[in-house]
């Protein structure tokens, strides 16, 4: 059975706060991926704790800096 994964869409301004909360809650970073999409890029940060995966998704416009 495949476990359901949470996908949370966040704003660039909230990235450090969200990552800090994941760390404080005992999650570990397992992967960062980046994909080019029509409006720019999509960055996914994947975290795991006891085989429970949570993904933070950030979308940036083409001209926007990370």
């Amino acid at each position: 059975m495949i476990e359901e994964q949470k996908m949370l869409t966040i704003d660039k301004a909230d990235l450090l706060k969200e990552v800090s909360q994941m760390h404080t809650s005992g999650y570990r970073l397992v992967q960062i991926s980046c994909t080019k999409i029509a409006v720019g890029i999509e960055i996914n940060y994947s975290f795991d704790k006891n085989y429970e995966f949570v993904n933070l998704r950030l979308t940036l416009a083409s001209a926007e800096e990370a």
Side-chain angles (χ1 to χ4, degrees):
M1 181 170 98
I2 297 175
E3 299 293 327
E4 183 177 335
Q5 295 185 27
K6 290 183 184 177
M7 181 67 69
L8 306 173
T9 302
I10 62 170
D11 292 324
K12 178 174 75 170
D14 297 327
L15 179 61
L16 292 178
K17 177 186 74 155
E18 294 291 337
V19 169
S20 179
Q21 286 178 353
M22 297 300 290
H23 175 71
T24 300
S25 297
Y27 284 84
R28 66 185 181 97
L29 179 66
V30 293
Q31 176 177 297
I32 301 172
S33 66
C34 182
T35 305
K36 185 175 180 180
I37 57 174
V39 297
I41 61 170
E42 179 180 276
I43 306 171
N44 291 292
Y45 297 85
S46 300
F47 295 87
D48 167 66
K49 177 180 173 185
N50 300 324
Y51 301 103
E52 176 187 340
F53 287 90
V54 177
N55 302 287
L56 302 179
R57 177 170 285 169
L58 175 65
T59 303
L60 300 174
S62 296
E64 193 174 355
E65 289 187 21

